[in-house]
Amino acid sequence: MLSRRGLIKNCLASLVAVKVPTSAFSAKNVSRYRIVAQKSEHQFYEGANLSDLFLYNGSSPGPLIVEKKGNILEVEFSNLLDEPSSIHWHGIRNLNDMDGVPGLTQAPVEPGETFTYRFPLNDAGTFWYHSHSQAWNQVARGLCGPLIVLEDDSLMSDRDLTIAVDDWLLDENEQIHTASLGSLHDWSHGGRLGNFLTINGKSAPEIKIPKTGKVHLRFLNFANARVMQFELNDRLPMRIVALDGAPCDPFMRQRLTLAPAQRVDVQIDDVSFLRELFEVSAGEEYSAATFAPNEVTQKLNALPRFVLPTNNMLKMDNAEVINIHMQGGAMGNLSSAIFEGEQKSLRELARSEKKLWAFNGEIGGYDLTLAEVDLGKTVVLKIWNDTRWQHGMHLHGHHFWVKSREFGDEANLVLRDTYLMQPGEQADLVFEANNPGSWLFHCHMLEHHVSGMGGIITVG
């Protein structure tokens, strides 16, 4: 971890995207924003060098978008980078052509071009948006931001806080370590792991909270590959109320595990005990942020409202089963795989194609169809992580039920869009194929995805 020479006194997650007044348009319930991807400078802490990043609207993280369930979100996206880009709306059960995957659901947005995303917000919860064009590179440089969808038309209150965590790999001058981007070692092991932790774009910020009562914390992991673990001071119990935006039957934990792309909503019953947030995945406490009691000046002091899913596990009668055998990576048992119709050794694939991971003996990509299923069908993704590494598996366009072991030995049936699988684990991800289109299923350790761990499920 790079040395920290100062503390930032303000949480910047409240920065909001440039919003066009809806009164200027005749359409009702349409919220319009402008987001620009561009090269920008950012200071991680007071006194730090300015770091050269790729950012949305010049802020890290990208501007917070807060909207109401049922609204239509319209975002005019301009790409001012020197390379193609796009935006994926992670966790949103989106229209297929608005999903933001270049080469699959849309053409890439070329430098100087603009693309307008327009889609309904059918689910309330904690979501996020990020580049899906060379994501292993562009997300590592800062192209990501939070998206909060509220159940009703109330505003986010002083008791509803966004905790966006990220893991940067910086050099001694506090610049992105560009020489290691594309490292085969990272791609074949755990992914690109950083040396510098931020909360809401800052190193060890001081986050202002009310002096008394309850508080709601929305944790989001924007890292390329690092699995985070968090504890509060004195191992203060956390009431987990939602996972990946989906409300769940509340349960208590003292430690929170957060894989890349996952979100966990936590409620603290008595904020007067809240003082510090620690990241503990390395086996020792690292102070990630401090909490400072603040006089409540707003009348908006209610916690967000949640509505539990109306259905539990889907009926399994006549469910379609899709077997997915995950293989590859360092110290794995994959000696060869099919790539572009030809069987090649893993050594050759790594050296000539930078491909290291496979589904069912085939190197993954947008041309690998895992299944074609009928609209309305119940689907079981029967996943076997036959590798030596963790993988955060993400399904686009749908949420799935899984008997999760992410919070202890006892399996909890939860609704997610990204599930952290342990080495050797077998799990069933169950979903209703109710969203037509070709949808990506991939590992959200972004280096694993680009080097082969992904495929397509077509619903229609």
Side-chain angles (χ1 to χ4, degrees):
M1 188 69 63
L2 297 182
S3 62
R4 187 171 63 251
R5 295 193 292 268
L7 296 180
I8 302 301
K9 300 300 183 183
N10 294 299
C11 169
L12 297 186
S14 60
L15 288 172
V16 179
V18 177
K19 185 173 183 178
V20 180
T22 55
S23 59
F25 302 89
S26 59
K28 295 182 179 180
N29 301 322
V30 177
S31 296
R32 293 175 167 88
Y33 296 81
R34 296 191 185 104
I35 290 182
V36 179
Q38 57 193 349
K39 295 180 179 179
S40 303
E41 293 180 331
H42 179 71
Q43 189 177 50
F44 285 110
Y45 57 90
E46 186 177 349
N49 295 327
L50 292 176
S51 300
D52 296 320
L53 306 178
F54 292 176
L55 298 178
Y56 291 128
N57 292 14
S59 69
S60 176
L64 173 65
I65 297 176
V66 180
E67 278 301 327
K68 174 190 172 183
K69 178 181 175 180
N71 281 0
I72 293 173
L73 180 64
E74 185 173 294
V75 176
E76 181 186 275
F77 169 59
S78 297
N79 179 17
L80 299 186
L81 300 172
D82 297 328
E83 57 191 69
S85 194
S86 69
I87 298 180
H88 169 57
W89 308 91
H90 189 110
I92 298 295
R93 295 190 293 176
N94 213 333
L95 305 174
N96 192 247
D97 59 356
M98 295 289 109
D99 196 45
V101 182
L104 179 66
T105 68
Q106 70 168 94
V109 183
E110 299 292 341
E113 291 186 348
T114 295
F115 181 89
T116 298
Y117 295 94
R118 193 176 196 271
F119 52 88
L121 298 169
N122 296 320
D123 300 291
T126 304
F127 306 104
W128 66 301
Y129 59 96
H130 63 84
S131 169
H132 219 293
S133 180
Q134 294 193 74
W136 56 273
N137 171 43
Q138 293 190 6
V139 174
R141 294 174 184 263
L143 286 182
C144 51
L147 168 61
I148 308 300
V149 183
L150 301 177
E151 189 69 40
D152 50 37
D153 56 5
S154 63
L155 301 177
M156 285 188 73
S157 78
D158 57 320
R159 297 187 183 278
D160 191 351
L161 304 174
T162 301
I163 310 290
V165 304
D166 209 343
D167 172 54
W168 308 78
L169 186 55
L170 304 181
D171 64 20
E172 64 276 5
N173 296 315
E174 290 152 346
Q175 303 300 317
I176 296 293
H177 194 280
T178 56
S180 60
L181 286 166
S183 163
L184 276 182
H185 179 275
D186 290 349
W187 291 23
S188 63
H189 288 70
R192 182 178 176 82
L193 303 179
N195 58 2
F196 193 79
L197 176 70
T198 60
I199 303 292
N200 299 328
K202 298 295 179 180
S203 172
E206 183 180 83
I207 300 173
K208 295 189 181 303
I209 57 174
K211 288 186 175 182
T212 60
K214 296 182 179 182
V215 71
H216 186 92
L217 306 178
R218 299 175 185 265
F219 286 87
L220 310 90
N221 187 350
F222 290 169
N224 271 36
R226 186 178 294 279
V227 178
M228 309 278 193
Q229 291 187 318
F230 291 97
E231 292 181 0
L232 299 175
N233 55 277
D234 305 317
R235 303 200 73 189
L236 190 67
M238 295 177 277
R239 183 186 303 276
I240 296 175
V241 297
L243 301 170
D244 293 349
C248 61
D249 289 323
F251 59 98
M252 304 296 292
R253 288 293 183 274
Q254 292 179 322
R255 175 174 292 190
L256 181 67
T257 299
L258 203 64
Q262 288 186 325
R263 292 87 63 212
V264 176
D265 286 47
V266 166
Q267 286 185 359
I268 305 300
D269 292 333
D270 188 349
V271 74
S272 65
F273 292 103
L274 189 59
R275 295 189 303 275
E276 197 164 4
L277 176 68
F278 298 98
E279 207 287 322
V280 296
S281 63
E284 57 186 42
E285 292 183 346
Y286 175 80
S287 181
T290 54
F291 297 98
N294 187 40
E295 290 290 348
V296 176
T297 58
Q298 306 178 57
K299 295 181 180 179
L300 300 171
N301 57 9
L303 296 181
R305 185 169 69 91
F306 286 92
V307 177
L308 288 173
T310 56
N311 60 319
N312 289 313
M313 176 67 87
L314 299 167
K315 293 182 179 180
M316 303 296 289
D317 299 340
N318 301 316
E320 182 162 345
V321 177
I322 302 171
N323 292 296
I324 300 179
H325 183 194
M326 300 161 55
Q327 292 178 284
M331 299 175 286
N333 56 15
L334 184 69
S335 58
S336 66
I338 297 172
F339 179 65
E340 296 181 341
E342 184 179 350
Q343 190 85 27
K344 295 184 178 182
S345 71
L346 187 61
R347 181 181 295 274
E348 180 183 0
L349 288 167
R351 184 174 58 247
S352 61
E353 308 291 348
K354 299 189 73 171
K355 300 299 182 182
L356 301 150
W357 306 91
F359 283 163
N360 301 334
E362 294 189 58
I363 298 297
Y366 299 159
D367 57 349
L368 174 61
T369 298
L370 298 172
E372 297 178 352
V373 300
D374 293 334
L375 188 66
K377 191 79 171 179
T378 296
V379 179
V380 180
L381 301 181
K382 194 169 285 291
I383 315 296
W384 176 17
N385 179 13
D386 191 17
T387 81
R388 299 290 294 273
W389 304 95
Q390 294 176 311
H391 300 285
M393 304 308 299
H394 173 49
L395 176 62
H396 286 220
H398 298 79
H399 302 158
F400 52 76
W401 293 97
V402 58
K403 293 182 179 178
S404 169
R405 297 187 180 276
E406 295 162 301
F407 299 96
D409 293 334
E410 183 179 349
N412 291 345
L413 181 62
V414 297
L415 192 61
R416 302 209 76 144
D417 60 56
T418 308
Y419 179 59
L420 179 61
M421 296 195 67
Q422 299 301 319
E425 182 180 0
Q426 299 185 44
D428 292 347
L429 314 184
V430 183
F431 69 98
E432 182 182 359
N434 56 9
N435 198 358
S438 293
W439 300 103
L440 181 61
F441 177 68
H442 69 105
C443 177
H444 222 282
M445 279 66 170
L446 298 175
E447 292 73 26
H448 294 172
H449 174 211
V450 69
S451 54
M453 190 161 281
I456 306 303
I457 298 172
T458 299
V459 177

